[in-house]
């Protein structure tokens, strides 16, 4: 692609950039959740207003989540309750569901259900906007645009129980007479009563929830022939839905869900997407 970052030494030049393909089928708007301050002075859920599960994709979703019990006869009362307490509501959130059955390579059909904050405007504006999304498909293009930065939240690859050398990259000194009593050892830990230990120690490495900041979306596309390599992506298969092309690597293993949000501390503000000049579609299987 053509490097379009003004502060880059390769600005205006053609550079080779490794990328990650993130398949992003649309999500479903399930319910509106209103939060208020309760009698204890804490945030709590006032009411959940669910969409009609007898129509379209939501009817199929109800069969996949057998524990989901929604009484549609009480939804009008709940909406009235929200309208009466607009002045007491702190913020509104939207419950959304993924659609893993649209991605055959995942091999699963049970969706993830998460909350998404509805921002901007008054509580009435948030309510109206949330109602317009209930029961509808929400494509990734309605939230993100090409070229912008994003924060990616996910779970890293698990590496099990590891020692201090691999876990913290501490220096392993050579064996000599001053510290011949042990290599790859942590030494004295210091006082351990009522004080935390800051000495690197063995333990769990990976499989942690982490956030990667300022990952750039190079492209949002629907033509999968532009990015599917010959023979498909190793350990994944063929992309068949709307996809994101993310610059660089992304945390976690393949097929693991990722959460994208607007950047909370952007390093710069790209005006548009970079110009892509070539995509290598050679087989990744050798």
């Amino acid at each position: 692609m053509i490097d379009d970052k003004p502060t880059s030494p390769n600005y205006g030049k053609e550079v080779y950039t490794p990328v990650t393909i993130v398949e992003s089928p649309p999500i479903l708007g399930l319910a509106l959740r209103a939060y208020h301050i309760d009698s204890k002075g804490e945030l709590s859920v006032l009411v959940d207003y669910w969409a009609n599960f007898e129509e379209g994709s939501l009817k199929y979703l109800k069969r996949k989540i057998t524990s989901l019990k929604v009484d549609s006869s009480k939804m009008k009362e709940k909406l009235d309750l929200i309208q009466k307490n607009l002045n007491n509501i702190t913020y509104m959130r939207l419950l959304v569901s993924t659609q893993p059955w649209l991605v055959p390579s995942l091999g699963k059909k049970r969706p993830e259900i998460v909350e998404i904050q509805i921002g901007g405007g008054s509580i009435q504006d948030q309510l109206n906007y949330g109602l317009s999304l209930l029961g509808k498909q929400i494509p990734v293009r309605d939230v993100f645009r090409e070229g912008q930065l994003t924060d990616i939240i996910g779970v890293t690859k698990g590496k099990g129980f590891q020692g201090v050398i691999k876990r913290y990259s501490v220096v392993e000194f050579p064996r000599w007479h001053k510290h011949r009593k042990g290599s790859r050892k942590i030494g004295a830990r210091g006082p351990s009563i009522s004080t935390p230990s800051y000495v690197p120690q063995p333990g769990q490495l990976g499989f942690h929830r982490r956030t990667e900041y300022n990952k750039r979306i190079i492209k949002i596309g629907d033509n999968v022939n532009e990015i599917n390599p010959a023979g498909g992506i190793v350990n994944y298969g063929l992309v068949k839905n709307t996809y994101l092309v993310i610059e660089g690597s992304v945390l976690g293993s393949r097929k693991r869900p990722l959460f994208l949000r607007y950047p909370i501390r952007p390093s710069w503000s790209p005006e548009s997407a970079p110009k892509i000049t070539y995509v290598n579609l050679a087989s990744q299987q050798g």
Side-chain angles (χ1 to χ4, degrees):
M1 69 177 190
I2 304 299
D3 192 350
D4 61 344
K5 189 173 183 180
T7 57
S8 172
N10 295 317
Y11 178 72
K13 299 180 181 179
E14 188 177 29
V15 293
Y16 182 84
T17 305
V19 298
T20 302
I21 307 298
V22 180
E23 191 167 5
S24 306
I27 57 177
L28 287 173
L30 298 185
L32 272 176
R33 176 166 287 178
Y35 282 85
H36 76 301
I37 303 296
D38 61 12
S39 58
K40 298 180 181 179
E42 300 176 351
L43 274 173
S44 62
V45 178
L46 174 65
V47 66
D48 289 344
Y49 176 74
W50 291 84
N52 186 1
F53 277 79
E54 304 302 327
E55 299 178 356
S57 301
L58 294 183
K59 190 175 183 179
Y60 181 80
L61 177 68
K62 190 175 182 179
R63 297 203 304 267
K64 297 302 174 186
I65 311 177
T66 55
S67 60
L68 188 61
K69 306 296 182 181
V70 179
D71 188 357
S72 57
S73 63
K74 296 182 179 180
M75 288 302 107
K76 188 176 184 304
E77 299 175 7
K78 293 185 176 183
L79 184 58
D80 292 339
L81 180 61
I82 295 177
Q83 294 282 8
K84 293 178 182 177
N85 291 274
L86 281 179
N87 295 330
N88 299 324
I89 293 176
T90 306
Y91 52 77
M92 304 286 295
R93 285 184 174 178
L94 184 69
L95 287 177
V96 299
S97 166
T98 59
Q99 300 185 84
W101 51 84
L102 298 179
V103 187
S105 59
L106 288 183
K108 73 170 187 176
K109 295 184 179 179
R110 185 177 289 266
E112 290 84 10
I113 297 179
V114 296
E115 287 185 17
I116 296 179
Q117 180 79 35
I118 300 178
S122 63
I123 298 299
Q124 182 66 57
D125 295 335
Q126 295 179 21
L127 174 62
N128 295 337
Y129 180 66
L131 291 174
S132 68
L133 299 177
L134 288 184
K136 296 182 180 178
Q137 308 266 359
I138 307 174
V140 68
R141 291 182 183 274
D142 288 358
V143 183
F144 299 104
R145 60 175 177 81
E146 292 182 336
Q148 79 165 89
L149 301 180
T150 180
D151 293 343
I152 300 180
I153 305 170
V155 178
T156 60
K157 289 183 179 179
K159 301 181 184 300
F161 191 96
Q162 299 294 335
V164 294
I165 303 297
K166 182 172 182 178
R167 195 178 186 212
Y168 291 106
S169 301
V170 300
V171 176
E172 181 185 6
F173 291 127
R175 295 182 179 91
W176 66 304
H177 70 96
K178 287 283 186 182
H179 44 72
R180 64 186 181 276
K181 295 182 179 179
S183 178
R184 303 174 71 94
K185 301 296 190 295
I186 65 174
R189 289 182 53 189
S192 58
I193 300 175
S194 73
T195 58
S197 174
Y198 298 105
V199 176
Q201 299 175 57
Q204 172 68 29
L205 177 62
F207 205 65
H208 306 302
R209 184 180 175 90
R210 294 290 183 264
T211 301
E212 288 190 335
Y213 298 97
N214 298 329
K215 310 294 288 191
R216 192 178 185 193
I217 301 175
I218 295 180
K219 180 180 175 62
I220 302 177
D222 297 304
N223 185 5
V224 296
N225 296 324
E226 295 178 349
I227 51 94
N228 271 327
I233 300 173
V234 177
N235 296 328
Y236 186 85
L238 295 172
V239 176
K240 297 187 177 182
N241 296 276
T242 302
Y243 58 87
L244 302 178
V245 179
I246 307 292
E247 184 176 5
S249 62
V250 170
L251 77 166
S253 60
R254 291 175 174 86
K255 303 183 182 181
R256 185 170 291 169
L258 298 171
F259 299 87
L260 277 68
R261 72 179 182 199
Y262 276 51
I264 62 173
R265 52 184 191 194
S267 56
W268 66 299
S269 299
E271 297 180 355
S272 60
K275 180 182 179 181
I276 299 176
T277 57
Y278 170 73
V279 179
N280 182 12
L281 298 181
S283 174
Q284 299 179 343
Q285 305 177 43

